[in-house]
C-alpha cells in the first residue's frame, strides 16, 4: 500500500519572467514500511522533490503538472492550513542540520510536547509524559531530566535524536530524511540510520531518504531513485541498481565509487557538472556529459522498463526499442 505517490510531477520556477522546469515528469511511490533512497549530485533536484512533497516550495516555485498524493490527500490542491496539519501530523522531517529544526530558546522536551498537544489534543501533563517516552525511544539517556535541557546543551548526534523524536511524535505516515547524517561522525551516522530503520519498521512508516552517500543506500534502502538535472533517470531495487545500472549516469556514479561509502559530492570521474537550471538542455539533461549521446537525445527520452522486473525503469534512448537505430538512421 502506497503512503506516497508522485505521479508525472512537474515543478516549475519563474526566474526573470521565464518559466523553468526544475522537476520534469517525476513518478515514484513509497510503500508502508519501505525506504526509497533518492540519490544524485548536488543540483539534481532531490531537495526540490522533498519540498514539493512537503508543500514547502519557495514563492517563485509551484507544482505546474501532475499529482502528489500522501495518504489519499492531494498535496498540490491542499490549502495552507491543511498542509500545516499534514506537515505536523502526517509527515515527519529530519534534515542535515538539527539546529535549524530546533528552537534555541525552548527546552527540547517542550518542543517535542508541542505537536502532541496541537495535533493529537493531549493535555499538558499527557504531552510531557509522551514526550519523555519518545525521548527514551530514540535512546536519549536520562530522558526525564533532559526534558528540561536546551538544544545547545546536546551533542550533534543527540540533537539529531531530538529532531527524530519530534519527527515521529504524531506517528507520521511518511518520514522525509534529507541528508540526515551528513553533519555527524561515522559512528553516530550508523547509530542514527539504524534508529531510523527501527522506527520506520515499528511505525510502518514510508521513508524518503535523500542522500549523497551510496553506502547509506546499500545499507538502509529498499529501492533507489537516481535523479539528474530534475529528471528521475533510473528507478530500481537497490540490488538491481548495484548489479546492473542501466542509465549512463547511474553507471558513471557507480563506476566512480570504488568504495560505496564515498560521497557523491566528491565525484571527479564524470567530466563536467550538472547544468544550472537556466541552462538545462531541452532533451536529455545528461547529454553534455554522456559518452553515448546521439542526435535523438536532443528530445526528452521516455521512461521504459528494463531488466527482469517492472520495478526497474530508465529514462534513456539507449533502452528504447529502435531508439539507437533511429538516432543513427
Ligand atoms: Fe546519454 Fe542519450 Fe541516454 Fe541521455 S538519452 S543518457 S544523452 S544516451
Amino acid at each position: 500500500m502506497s503512503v506516497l505517490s508522485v505521479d508525472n510531477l512537474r515543478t516549475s520556477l519563474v526566474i526573470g519572467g521565464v518559466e523553468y522546469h526544475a522537476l520534469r515528469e517525476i513518478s515514484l511511490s513509497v510503500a508502508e514500511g519501505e525506504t526509497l533512497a533518492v540519490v544524485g549530485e548536488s543540483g539534481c533536484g532531490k531537495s526540490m522533490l522533498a519540498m514539493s512533497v512537503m508543500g514547502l516550495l519557495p514563492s517563485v516555485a509551484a507544482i505546474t503538472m501532475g499529482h502528489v498524493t500522501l495518504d489519499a490527500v492531494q498535496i498540490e490542491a491542499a490549502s495552507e492550513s491543511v498542509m500545516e496539519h499534514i506537515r505536523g501530523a502526517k509527515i515527519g522531517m529530519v534534515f542535515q542540520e538539527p539546529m535549524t529544526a530546533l528552537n534555541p530558546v525552548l527546552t527540547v522536551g517542550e518542543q517535542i510536547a508541542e505537536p502532541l498537544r496541537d495535533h493529537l489534543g493531549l493535555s499538558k501533563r499527557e504531552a510531557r509524559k509522551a514526550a519523555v517516552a519518545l525521548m527514551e525511544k530514540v535512546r536519549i539517556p536520562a530522558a526525564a531530566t533532559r526534558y528540561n535541557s536546551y538544544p545547545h546543551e546536546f551533542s550533534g548526534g543527540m540533537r539529531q535524536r531530538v529532531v527524530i523524536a519530534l519527527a515521529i511524535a504524531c506517528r507520521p505516515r511518511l518520514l522525509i530524511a534529507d541528508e540526515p547524517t551528513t553533519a555527524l561522525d561515522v559512528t553516530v551516522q550508523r547509530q542514527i540510520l539504524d534508529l531510523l530503520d527501527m522506527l520506520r519498521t515499528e511505525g510502518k512508516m514510508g521513508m524518503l531518504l535523500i542522500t549523497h552517500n551510496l553506502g547509506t543506500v546499500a545499507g538502509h534502502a529498499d529501492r533507489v531513485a537516481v535523479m539528474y538535472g530534475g529528471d528521475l533517470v533510473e528507478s530500481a531495487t537497490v540490488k538491481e541498481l548495484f548489479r546492473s545500472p542501466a542509465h549512463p549516469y547511474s553507471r558513471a556514479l557507480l563506476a566512480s565509487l570504488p568504495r560505496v561509502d564515498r560521497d557523491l559530492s566528491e565525484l571527479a570521474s564524470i567530466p563536467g557538472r550538472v547544468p544550472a537550471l537556466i541552462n538545462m538542455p531541452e532533451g536529455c539533461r545528461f547529454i553534455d556529459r554522456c559518452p553515448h549521446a546521439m542526435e535523438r537525445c536532443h528530445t526528452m527520452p521516455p521512461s521504459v522498463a528494463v531488466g527482469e522486473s517492472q520495478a526497474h525503469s530508465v529514462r534513456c534512448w539507449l533502452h528504447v526499442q529502435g531508439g539507437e537505430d533511429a538516432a543513427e538512421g
Side-chain angles (χ1 to χ4, degrees):
M1 181 180 162
S2 283
V3 171
L4 173 71
S5 150
V6 175
D7 185 23
N8 211 21
L9 172 72
R10 178 193 292 163
T11 298
S12 306
L13 257 80
V14 176
I15 304 168
V18 181
E19 182 180 323
Y20 298 95
H21 299 158
L23 298 177
R24 299 192 302 181
E25 299 181 25
I26 305 280
S27 293
L28 54 83
S29 64
V30 183
E32 226 175 49
E34 178 186 54
T35 295
L36 174 70
V38 182
V39 299
E41 294 164 278
S42 299
C44 281
K46 307 185 300 291
S47 294
M48 185 63 73
L49 174 64
M51 287 190 284
S52 300
V53 170
M54 293 184 286
L56 280 180
L57 289 167
S59 58
V60 291
I63 293 175
T64 48
M65 194 175 86
H67 305 289
V68 178
T69 313
L70 178 84
D71 221 17
V73 176
Q74 210 117 5
I75 299 282
E76 76 281 356
S79 66
E80 188 44 36
S81 63
V82 169
M83 281 314 300
E84 264 174 37
H85 174 71
I86 286 175
R87 281 193 294 271
K90 301 264 186 191
I91 306 179
M93 294 172 269
V94 181
F95 295 105
Q96 180 175 336
E97 182 36 73
M99 270 319 250
T100 58
L102 296 172
N103 185 335
V105 299
L106 284 181
T107 71
V108 298
E110 285 169 327
Q111 296 186 57
I112 298 169
E114 190 180 294
L116 296 167
R117 292 201 307 272
D118 290 354
H119 296 290
L120 301 185
L122 300 193
S123 69
K124 207 170 170 189
R125 178 193 288 253
E126 289 166 339
R128 184 187 175 101
K129 199 171 157 202
V132 171
L134 281 161
M135 289 170 71
E136 283 167 351
K137 195 176 199 94
V138 298
R139 303 191 186 122
I140 294 173
T145 313
R146 304 222 71 189
Y147 181 97
N148 295 313
S149 302
Y150 289 88
H152 71 268
E153 296 177 278
F154 284 73
S155 66
M158 280 296 152
R159 274 201 289 266
Q160 198 58 303
R161 286 175 192 267
V162 172
V163 171
I164 292 170
L166 194 54
I168 62 162
C170 298
R171 301 208 187 110
R173 299 284 291 141
L174 178 73
L175 202 56
I176 298 181
D178 191 350
E179 308 283 3
T181 60
T182 307
L184 305 172
D185 73 48
V186 175
T187 314
V188 181
Q189 282 185 10
R190 203 171 40 239
Q191 291 167 355
I192 294 289
L193 289 166
D194 288 347
L195 175 65
L196 286 170
D197 279 348
M198 187 272 283
L199 296 169
R200 170 184 52 81
T201 310
E202 205 181 281
K204 293 195 182 139
M205 292 178 287
M207 180 150 83
L208 199 60
L209 176 63
I210 295 173
T211 180
H212 275 104
N213 190 299
L214 289 178
T216 303
V217 174
H220 297 274
D222 301 297
R223 289 187 299 119
V224 57
V226 181
M227 292 195 67
Y228 185 84
D231 289 342
L232 178 52
V233 296
E234 185 160 4
S235 177
T237 62
V238 169
K239 199 169 158 195
E240 275 175 302
L241 187 87
F242 278 84
R243 194 181 52 198
S244 43
H247 195 280
Y249 179 60
S250 311
R251 284 192 219 133
L253 285 183
L254 290 165
S256 301
L257 294 169
R259 287 181 18 227
V260 291
D261 58 343
R262 285 264 301 278
D263 196 282
L264 296 187
S265 59
E266 296 166 12
L267 285 183
S269 64
I270 308 175
R273 57 202 305 182
V274 185
L277 184 58
I278 56 170
N279 290 323
M280 284 289 177
E282 280 284 307
C284 172
R285 289 180 164 180
F286 190 53
I287 190 167
D288 295 334
R289 301 172 78 185
C290 181
H292 309 287
M294 49 194 167
E295 197 49 40
R296 188 136 203 203
C297 305
H298 290 287
T299 55
M300 187 180 181
S303 182
V304 292
V306 287
E308 295 151 20
S309 87
Q310 286 297 310
H312 192 172
S313 65
V314 63
R315 189 179 282 284
C316 170
W317 283 113
L318 290 175
H319 297 275
V320 179
Q321 213 173 11
E324 209 170 350
D325 298 341
E328 287 166 0

